[in-house]
Amino acid sequence: MTGTDHAVLLLRLAAPLQSWGGPSRYNRRETHPQPTKSGVLGLLAAAEGRDREASLADLIGLQLGVRVDQPGTLLRDYHTYSDHRGLPLLSAKTNSRGQQTRTTPPKYTGVTRRFYLQDAVFVAALRGPKTLVACLEEAVRNPVYPLSLGRRSCPPTGRVSLGLRPDTGLDDALKEVPWQAGRHRRSQVHGTTTTLEATVEDPAGDQVALDVPDTYDLKTGTRFGRRAVRHLWVTVPTGRTEPADPAPHTGATRQPDHDPFALLGW
C-alpha cells in the first residue's frame, strides 16, 4: 500500500570492501551477501549523529528493499589483534565481581577471521513517513559521523544518497533507479537490459530475515528481531541503445536478453 504521506529514500552502497555481519561475533565475523537492515539503519543513525544509546523506534519502522547491482566476491581476512598496552588478552572467564580475567598462561596475540564483500554495489530503498525520510536524506548528504558499510573500516565510495522518490512502493522504486554497477561489470553485459536480484521487506513475504536491531548500545549488546521479506528479480536498462556486435573471433551471436553467467558476476 502506498500513500502521499510516505516517500522512498534511495541509497547507493558501494565500496572496495563491505561487511554486513548481523549476529556473527567472537572470533569469526561473517558477512551476509546483501546489506542487512541493522547495517543500513546504523548508517542512517551515524549520519544523524545519534548516540549508541538513542532509541531506534522510528528507524525500525522503515521498510527496506535491496537490489544487487554488482554482487562482488567474498574475501577472508586473517586478522590478529593485541592489547596496545602490551598486557595479556582477556579470557572468557570472570572473577567473583563479574570482571573478565587475563589469560593464563598469558596470551598476547589473538586471531579472528573476518569476511568482507569486495567490489560490490547495492541500491537500498527505504520507505517511510515523508518528513522522516527527508531528514534522513539530508543527514546522509551532510553526515555528523563518518558513514560506513557494515564496519568502520569500510567507508563508501561515491555519493551515497540517490535522492527521494514519491511512494510508489519498494518494487517500483528499485526498478526505476538506473543500473549502478561499475564500468567493468557493465562491459560484461551485452544486452539493452539486465536482470538483478532484489529483496524487499513485506509483511506477506515468505522468507524471514533476522537482522532488526533493538539497540546499538555496546553495554547491553544488540538483539536481532525478525522481519518478513520476499525475493524478486527486477529488469533495468544497461544504458546500451542496441545489443553489442557478435564476437568477431567466433562469428557467433550472443543473445541480448540472456547471459547465464551475468548474475554470477563473471
Side-chain angles (χ1 to χ4, degrees):
M1 181 178 293
T2 60
T4 57
D5 60 333
H6 281 58
V8 176
L9 168 61
L10 295 165
L11 304 176
R12 179 180 181 271
L13 306 178
L17 294 177
Q18 308 182 34
S19 188
W20 308 98
S24 68
R25 58 183 66 183
Y26 303 120
N27 291 337
R28 184 179 175 89
R29 304 293 180 88
E30 299 180 348
T31 178
H32 288 264
Q34 299 181 18
T36 60
K37 187 165 187 177
S38 175
V40 175
L41 297 190
L43 180 148
L44 297 177
E48 285 197 311
R50 299 195 188 196
D51 295 331
R52 283 188 171 272
E53 299 78 16
S55 172
L56 302 176
D58 56 339
L59 298 183
I60 290 174
L62 297 171
Q63 287 183 287
L64 172 66
V66 173
R67 191 182 78 187
V68 183
D69 285 42
Q70 189 167 296
T73 56
L74 189 65
L75 171 70
R76 186 184 72 168
D77 175 29
Y78 181 84
H79 188 91
T80 61
Y81 62 94
S82 59
D83 191 300
H84 70 281
R85 298 163 295 181
L87 299 175
L89 299 176
L90 294 172
S91 70
K93 299 179 181 179
T94 58
N95 57 26
S96 59
R97 291 177 292 179
Q99 299 172 329
Q100 281 183 276
T101 58
R102 299 285 174 180
T103 51
T104 305
K107 180 180 177 182
Y108 293 92
T109 302
V111 174
T112 66
R113 290 174 175 81
R114 305 188 181 194
F115 293 83
Y116 299 86
L117 296 176
Q118 54 185 352
D119 198 28
V121 181
F122 304 97
V123 171
L126 294 129
R127 176 183 179 271
K130 187 179 297 184
T131 302
L132 173 61
V133 295
C135 291
L136 293 172
E137 198 275 334
E138 171 66 22
V140 170
R141 286 191 289 108
N142 301 281
V144 176
Y145 299 133
L147 304 181
S148 58
L149 304 187
R151 290 199 190 126
R152 250 183 246 179
S153 59
C154 303
T157 56
R159 62 172 180 161
V160 176
S161 174
L162 296 178
L164 298 174
R165 297 288 178 92
D167 181 24
T168 57
L170 292 177
D171 292 34
D172 288 342
L174 293 176
K175 293 175 183 176
E176 293 169 1
V177 180
W179 195 22
Q180 299 296 310
R183 183 168 54 185
H184 68 286
R185 178 71 185 93
R186 291 171 175 271
S187 67
Q188 298 171 351
V189 177
H190 298 265
T192 57
T193 62
T194 186
T195 302
L196 306 174
E197 180 185 359
T199 302
V200 171
E201 187 171 344
D202 185 343
D206 56 357
Q207 300 289 324
V208 173
L210 185 66
D211 63 354
V212 183
D214 62 342
T215 180
Y216 294 120
D217 191 341
L218 295 176
K219 296 179 182 177
T220 61
T222 302
R223 290 176 296 184
F224 295 94
R226 299 173 181 269
R227 63 188 177 106
V229 300
R230 56 183 170 84
H231 301 294
L232 65 152
W233 299 90
V234 296
T235 299
V236 299
T238 61
R240 292 183 182 272
T241 57
E242 58 184 19
D245 293 334
H249 62 284
T250 63
T253 58
R254 182 188 297 270
Q255 294 296 326
D257 58 348
H258 179 65
D259 182 354
F261 301 114
L263 296 177
L264 300 177
W266 295 4

